[in-house]
Amino acid sequence: MSDVSKYIIFQINHERFAINIQQVRSIEKLPELTTIPQMPEAMKGIFELRGAITPVIDLKEKLEMGQAEQTEETRLLVLTIDEKQLGVIVDKATEVVDLNSESIEAPPEMVAGVEREYITGVANQEGQLIVILDLDRVLNYEEFNVKS
């Protein structure tokens, strides 16, 4: 018997990505951000959410897929990485799905646009491919650590 896990599906440049729902605290509309001097390039600022100063990263920029453009569909995924709160900007958060571990294949040897080490697998859902990201590797919290 295979394991089933819940994943949040989101889009960047019309491509579908997923992360395990256990890492996601909430999905928010993009708040007004405060910039701080000498921020890492992909970091867009900080904001306060439920009493915690939360760094915000442009996931599109971090993955070298361009820069986020704020639209009505732009969302902020508030995540827990290394037991710290961090926000990532995505073009659109679309749905929560159950993925069977048997439906997730190892990432291909060559994946254009995204470093292979950032990918845990690829799932085929109703004829559409979903790239499953390892956000612990993509988002090294220390790189974006904000002292509060």
Side-chain angles (χ1 to χ4, degrees):
M1 189 167 151
S2 61
D3 294 329
V4 174
S5 296
K6 289 195 178 298
Y7 289 84
I8 296 239
I9 307 294
F10 60 91
Q11 290 183 358
I12 296 176
N13 293 345
H14 305 289
E15 300 296 330
R16 295 178 62 180
F17 294 89
I19 55 174
N20 192 299
I21 200 166
Q22 291 181 339
Q23 287 186 298
V24 181
R25 286 187 177 188
S26 65
I27 300 172
E28 311 280 339
K29 286 195 168 198
L30 192 60
E32 189 171 318
L33 302 175
T34 301
T35 57
I36 54 177
Q38 299 179 343
M39 292 187 304
E41 199 168 321
M43 186 171 165
K44 297 303 162 196
I46 58 174
F47 78 112
E48 185 177 353
L49 181 65
R50 295 185 265 289
I53 301 298
T54 305
V56 174
I57 310 306
D58 180 345
L59 189 57
K60 186 185 283 190
E61 190 171 333
K62 179 67 179 160
L63 295 174
E64 298 179 5
M65 297 176 70
Q67 288 186 328
E69 295 177 26
Q70 190 167 347
T71 69
E72 189 61 36
E73 295 181 322
T74 303
R75 290 294 177 264
L76 183 71
L77 304 180
V78 179
L79 312 171
T80 302
I81 303 287
D82 296 333
E83 299 180 21
K84 302 281 194 300
Q85 188 166 282
L86 185 69
V88 295
I89 302 169
V90 299
D91 291 344
K92 181 179 181 180
T94 57
E95 59 191 309
V96 175
V97 297
D98 291 326
L99 292 179
N100 183 315
S101 61
E102 291 176 358
S103 71
I104 300 172
E105 298 179 25
E109 288 298 318
M110 295 185 64
V111 180
V114 178
E115 300 238 2
R116 187 171 184 267
E117 69 185 74
Y118 293 164
I119 300 171
T120 60
V122 178
N124 187 335
Q125 183 202 29
E126 300 170 6
Q128 291 190 311
L129 293 181
I130 301 169
V131 177
I132 301 170
L133 293 178
D134 180 348
L135 287 185
D136 288 324
R137 289 188 177 200
V138 174
L139 303 169
N140 175 352
Y141 188 84
E142 292 307 312
E143 180 181 350
F144 302 106
N145 195 8
V146 176
K147 309 288 186 224
S148 53

